[in-house]
């Protein structure tokens, strides 16, 4: 059983929902990233989504785009992200980590080489925003060879037939994009999310987690009530960037991460 499958099985047995924070590898600093990941786990994260810096992160809003730019300016690329993963696994062998990024760096490294290196570094899953299910067979062959999950996005505009195709190729969990637009956009409509999640469940037995637009504890709790987990990205990336920009110490950045994820954990668990 993969770490992700084991995580969701454990959560289900305890009637809990997954809290999945997203950060960009190398932001707000390369040196702090591993400690930041450990702080997220300490505060209640069940899975970590680690962004791979890319020059054209088309699915991201301005907050995460700036995070990518800051990390790229520090020289962080896919190989560096794998090094960060290796260092994280020296301290934590149990928390699932998925890499969220774009096709180009993986294609450049080569599917097989990426799969082998990512497995050796302790990566559990990959989410590539810009590889459609019709074109994923080569990558999926290599990911499945090493037992790595491939996470797919489903959007409010995804038709039913396409959900079937995505469900056939996906593993780990389904990431439902709650809003039309980029990360950090708009306002959540809990009833619309509930309706969409219910439809997705007719196509797959995989857990369904919801992201885009989750900004705080109450919004996370509302979405967790109708899904298997929540992803918080832009709000967390912005909070950490603000603390760093204000001259905050590494300890203050870590405290900000703990406070935000801890608050989301509390609200998701308590249902308010």
């Amino acid at each position: 059983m993969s770490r992700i499958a084991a995580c969701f099985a454990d959560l289900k047995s305890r009637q809990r929902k997954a809290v999945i924070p997203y950060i960009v590898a190398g932001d707000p600093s390369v040196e702090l990233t591993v400690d930041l990941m450990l702080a997220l786990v300490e505060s209640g994260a069940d899975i970590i989504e680690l962004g791979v810096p890319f020059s054209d992160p088309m699915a991201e809003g301005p907050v995460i785009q700036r995070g990518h730019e800051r990390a790229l300016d520090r020289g962080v690329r896919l190989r560096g992200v794998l090094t960060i993963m290796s260092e994280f696994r020296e301290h934590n062998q149990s928390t699932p980590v998925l890499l969220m990024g774009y096709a180009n760096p993986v294609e450049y490294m080569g599917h097989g080489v990426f799969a082998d290196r990512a497995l050796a570094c302790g990566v559990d899953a990959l989410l590539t925003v810009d590889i459609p299910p019709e074109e994923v067979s080569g990558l999926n062959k290599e990911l499945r060879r090493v037992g790595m999950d491939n996470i797919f996005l489903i959007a409010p505009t995804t038709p039913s037939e396409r959900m079937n195709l995505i469900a056939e190729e996906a593993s780990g969990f389904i990431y439902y994009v709650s809003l039309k637009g980029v990360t950090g956009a708009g306002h959540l409509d809990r009833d619309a999310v509930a309706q969409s999640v219910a439809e997705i469940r007719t196509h797959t037995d995989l857990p369904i987690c919801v992201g885009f637009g989750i900004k705080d504890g109450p919004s996370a709790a509302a979405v967790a009530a109708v899904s298997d987990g929540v992803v918080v990205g832009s709000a967390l990336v912005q909070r950490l960037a603000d603390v760093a920009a204000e001259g905050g110490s590494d300890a203050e950045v870590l405290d900000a991460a703990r406070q935000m994820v801890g608050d989301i954990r509390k609200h998701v668990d308590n249902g308010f």
Side-chain angles (χ1 to χ4, degrees):
M1 181 181 290
S2 70
R3 285 192 189 96
I4 289 178
C7 176
F8 280 107
D10 176 64
L11 288 168
K12 185 176 182 180
S13 72
R14 295 185 290 138
Q15 297 184 318
R16 297 183 76 189
K17 304 299 179 73
V19 171
I20 308 174
Y22 167 97
I23 59 171
V24 180
D27 183 54
S29 76
V30 180
E31 298 75 16
L32 195 61
T33 302
V34 171
D35 285 341
L36 181 54
M37 295 169 71
L38 294 170
L40 296 176
V41 175
E42 176 188 330
S43 307
D46 299 294
I47 299 171
I48 294 174
E49 187 175 4
L50 190 61
V52 179
F54 186 57
S55 57
D56 186 22
M58 65 186 73
E60 317 298 352
V63 169
I64 293 180
Q65 283 186 18
R66 287 192 289 268
H68 279 247
E69 290 168 3
R70 290 188 295 267
L72 289 171
D73 286 345
R74 297 183 182 99
V76 182
R77 305 294 188 272
L78 177 56
R79 293 175 190 273
V81 176
L82 295 179
T83 298
I84 288 169
M85 271 302 309
S86 291
E87 294 173 0
F88 174 73
R89 286 294 178 220
E90 292 176 5
H91 304 278
N92 181 306
Q93 289 288 324
S94 58
T95 302
V97 178
L98 73 96
L99 301 187
M100 180 175 181
Y102 295 82
N104 185 273
V106 176
E107 298 281 352
Y108 184 78
M109 182 176 285
H111 295 163
V113 174
F114 167 80
D116 289 335
R117 291 183 179 177
L119 177 69
C121 295
V123 175
D124 297 285
L126 177 69
L127 192 168
T128 42
V129 175
D130 52 347
I131 300 182
E134 296 87 351
E135 300 175 13
V136 80
S137 60
L139 175 59
N140 250 358
K141 179 181 178 181
E142 296 300 328
L143 295 182
R144 287 168 178 164
R145 175 177 61 83
V146 300
M148 193 174 299
D149 288 320
N150 196 355
I151 312 299
F152 276 85
L153 300 171
I154 288 181
T157 54
T158 303
S160 180
E161 319 81 68
R162 191 168 179 79
M163 288 184 191
N164 277 329
L165 179 58
I166 290 171
E168 290 173 2
E169 299 291 351
S171 58
F173 66 90
I174 296 290
Y175 187 139
Y176 177 63
V177 177
S178 63
L179 306 167
K180 298 176 183 178
V182 294
T183 53
H187 299 283
L188 281 171
D189 182 336
R190 179 186 179 278
D191 291 340
V193 170
Q195 183 176 356
S196 295
V197 169
E199 181 181 1
I200 297 169
R201 290 200 194 281
T202 67
H203 298 273
T204 182
D205 293 327
L206 292 173
I208 301 167
C209 298
V210 180
F212 287 46
I214 295 175
K215 301 180 183 300
D216 52 22
S219 60
V223 169
V226 297
S227 68
D228 299 299
V230 295
V231 182
V232 57
S234 294
L236 177 59
V237 171
Q238 184 65 65
R239 176 63 181 143
L240 302 181
D242 288 345
V243 174
E246 292 164 4
S249 65
D250 286 354
E252 289 172 319
V253 172
L254 295 176
D255 282 344
R258 291 188 189 98
Q259 289 169 10
M260 185 168 191
V261 173
D263 183 65
I264 288 172
R265 175 86 269 167
K266 179 186 73 175
H267 279 80
V268 168
D269 289 348
N270 294 336
F272 62 86

